[in-house]
Amino acid sequence: MFAEGPATGDAAWDAFAIAHAARRALPDDAVVTVDTGAHRIALAQAFEARRPRAFLQSAGLCTMGCALPLAIGYAHADRTRPV
């Protein structure tokens, strides 16, 4: 399965392994934000969002540094879900 990620020498530390570990550790209603970079591509493919609008990322233009403002904005708008 592509979402499992490519075979690497140290798969315990690649972005796919981190996405799967985060999914196991976070509650189903958690909101996850991610900055731009190669890790964002892997997380977008591998992280299983279990609710609408639960995985927030830049919609384009490779916006760097967007994860923290996204998290702050979401937490301010919806105080019932962990971000």
Side-chain angles (χ1 to χ4, degrees), residues 14-40:
D14 70 12
F16 289 93
I18 292 169
H20 294 297
R23 178 65 281 160
R24 288 190 302 272
L26 293 170
D28 286 347
D29 64 341
V31 176
V32 174
T33 66
V34 64
D35 274 323
T36 294
H39 63 285
R40 185 201 59 82

Side-chain angles (χ1 to χ4, degrees), residues 5-80:
T8 63
D10 191 4
W13 289 103
D14 70 12
F16 289 93
I18 292 169
H20 294 297
R23 178 65 281 160
R24 288 190 302 272
L26 293 170
D28 286 347
D29 64 341
V31 176
V32 174
T33 66
V34 64
D35 274 323
T36 294
H39 63 285
R40 185 201 59 82
I41 296 167
L43 283 165
Q45 295 169 354
F47 187 81
E48 178 190 351
R50 297 195 176 143
R51 295 180 69 160
R53 294 181 296 280
F55 184 80
L56 306 177
Q57 61 183 329
S58 172
L61 303 175
C62 296
T63 309
M64 295 180 72
C66 68
L68 183 58
L70 284 170
I72 292 169
Y74 199 103
H76 182 71
D78 183 352
R79 297 172 191 261
T80 65

